[in-house]
Amino acid sequence: MPLVGIAKLAAESPVLDAKSRVEYRELDSRRWITRCESQRRLPFTWTINPYRGCEFACRYCFARYTHEFMELSPGDDFETQIFAKKWSASAFATELRRIPSGDGIAIGTATDPYQPAERRYGLTQKMLEIAAGDYGHRISLITKSDLVARDAELIAQVNRRNRMEVSVTITTMDRDLARLLEPKAPRPDLRMAAVRSLVEAGVTVGVTASPLLPGLNDSPESIDAIARLSRAAGATGFHAGAVFLKPASAGVFFEFLERVYPELVPRYRHLFADGAFLRGEYPEMLKRRVAEIRARHGFASATPSWTPYSPQLPLFAA
C-alpha cells in the first residue's frame, strides 16, 4: 500500500544529520501551531511541538504512538528517528500573529522541545525569539531538559510582553532510577539546577513529578524530596499525576519491567487489566498524597495548570 499523508512526508524527509544510532530528518509541516480540539476545559487552545520522536527514550512516554502515523515503530524508531520541522521564520510569525490575544499556547505537549536535537537546530529558541517580539499571548512550555536554562533570559524577555510559564519535569531525585526510567534525559540534579537558573532570571517555574509509577517513584518520600527541593529552588507550583499506558507505550514499558523489575509485572498487569488509565482508589490516593505534599511545602497551586498527561489531548496535526 502506498504511503500517504504524514507517513509519505516522513519517508521522503531528507536526513539532516546522524550520530551513532540516531538520525535527524527534516519534516515538512502544514502548520507550526495546532489548535487543540480537546473536549476538556484546558487553559490553552493551541499546541506547538517542533520535534517528532524523542531521544530521551523515557520508558513510559505516552507520545510513542505518534510515530505509528509515519509507519515507524513506537520503540526504537521513536528514539532514533527524530524529525525536526522545516523552519520558516515568516510562516511561524504569521501563525503566531493570527492567534487571538490571550489564547493559551502550550509548547512541548508531546515530545520535548529541548531534547538533544534542539542543540543542533534551535527550533524552540527561534520560536521564542519571534514570540519575544509579539505580545498578549499566554505561553506554557514543559521540558525535562536542563538545556532550557540556556534560554532563561530569552524566556524572561518573552514574558515582558506576554505571560510565559515553564514547567520542568522531574520524576525522581534518585539518579540511578532516573537513568533506568529516562535513559537519555539529563540527570535530576541538572534539571533542578535549571529550575533555579530560570527563577533567578525572573521566569515563573513549576515542577511536575508526573508520571507517578506504582512501586517505583510514587512513595511519599520520593514525591516529597522533589517538592522540597523544587520549593528551595524557587518553583512556585508543583504537580504530579499517575502514569497511563496506551498500547504503544505499554509494549515498551512492560518489556522494560520484565527485564529490570520482574517482581512488579503482576501488579502492573492487574492495575492496567481494564485499560490504559488507572481508576479507583490508587489514583485518588495519589491525588491526596500530592495535595498534602504541595501544602506542606507551601505551594499555592499545581502550576502549570495544564498537564501533558491528558488522555483527551490531541498531540499532533500533520
Side-chain angles (χ1 to χ4, degrees):
M1 180 180 296
L3 298 177
V4 297
I6 190 66
K8 184 173 186 291
L9 289 175
E12 295 174 349
S13 298
V15 176
L16 294 176
D17 202 352
K19 66 175 187 182
S20 61
R21 295 175 61 240
V22 179
E23 280 190 353
Y24 298 102
R25 294 178 178 271
E26 186 176 71
L27 183 66
D28 284 322
S29 180
R30 295 191 191 120
R31 53 190 177 271
W32 280 83
I33 307 174
T34 303
R35 177 178 283 276
C36 175
E37 302 294 348
S38 174
Q39 302 278 322
R40 302 178 68 182
R41 291 186 62 186
L42 297 169
F44 59 89
T45 309
W46 308 91
T47 63
I48 303 176
N49 289 285
Y51 303 103
R52 282 179 177 263
C54 186
E55 268 185 82
F56 288 161
C58 301
R59 309 298 188 185
Y60 50 76
C61 181
F62 70 96
R64 289 179 177 275
Y65 78 92
T66 58
H67 255 43
E68 294 179 331
F69 299 154
M70 300 184 290
E71 302 294 328
L72 296 171
S73 82
D76 285 347
D77 286 346
F78 181 80
E79 302 167 11
T80 61
Q81 299 291 313
I82 309 300
F83 294 85
K85 290 187 176 180
K86 187 175 182 179
W87 177 243
S88 169
S90 60
F92 181 79
T94 297
E95 289 185 42
L96 187 62
R97 284 195 300 269
R98 290 174 178 168
I99 302 300
S101 179
D103 274 14
I105 303 170
I107 302 173
T109 55
T111 54
D112 202 295
Y114 282 103
Q115 62 176 285
E118 173 64 14
R119 292 189 185 276
R120 293 168 179 250
Y121 309 114
L123 297 180
T124 301
Q125 185 178 58
K126 292 172 182 175
M127 292 188 304
L128 293 176
E129 288 170 347
I130 291 174
D134 212 326
Y135 62 92
H137 299 296
R138 292 190 302 109
I139 303 172
S140 298
L141 182 149
I142 190 162
T143 180
K144 61 178 57 165
S145 174
D146 62 322
L147 180 59
V148 66
R150 177 199 69 185
D151 293 341
E153 296 296 334
L154 176 57
I155 293 169
Q157 184 180 348
V158 173
N159 202 36
R160 293 188 190 113
R161 303 181 69 186
N162 304 272
R163 176 185 167 193
M164 183 163 184
E165 299 176 347
V166 173
S167 179
V168 178
T169 299
I170 306 174
T171 54
T172 176
M173 294 309 302
D174 183 329
R175 289 170 58 170
D176 293 334
L177 178 59
R179 186 59 58 219
L180 289 170
L181 292 174
E182 305 153 351
K184 303 293 178 61
R187 300 192 319 258
D189 58 305
L190 295 178
R191 298 182 225 172
M192 195 65 74
V195 171
R196 187 177 297 276
S197 295
L198 289 163
V199 170
E200 290 174 350
V203 177
T204 301
V205 185
V207 169
T208 177
S210 298
L212 297 176
L213 299 129
L216 291 171
N217 69 340
D218 64 339
S219 71
E221 296 78 12
S222 176
I223 303 168
D224 188 87
I226 303 168
R228 174 173 50 83
L229 292 171
S230 299
R231 197 73 177 102
T236 55
F238 182 77
H239 168 81
V243 69
F244 69 85
L245 295 171
K246 288 191 174 182
S249 303
V252 173
F253 186 75
F254 273 99
E255 186 279 329
F256 161 73
L257 275 188
E258 289 165 357
R259 179 166 44 84
V260 183
Y261 294 104
E263 70 279 8
L264 289 178
V265 171
R267 181 181 181 188
Y268 274 79
R269 295 288 184 199
H270 173 73
L271 285 170
F272 288 96
D274 295 327
F277 304 99
L278 295 175
R279 307 185 189 282
E281 174 55 24
Y282 177 77
E284 293 304 314
M285 178 274 293
L286 285 183
K287 288 180 183 179
R288 294 192 298 270
R289 179 174 294 174
V290 172
E292 290 168 3
I293 291 171
R294 185 186 299 124
R296 181 185 309 148
H297 293 287
F299 287 103
S301 70
T303 302
S305 52
W306 59 275
T307 168
Y309 302 99
S310 167
Q312 293 176 294
L313 176 61
L315 301 177
F316 286 109

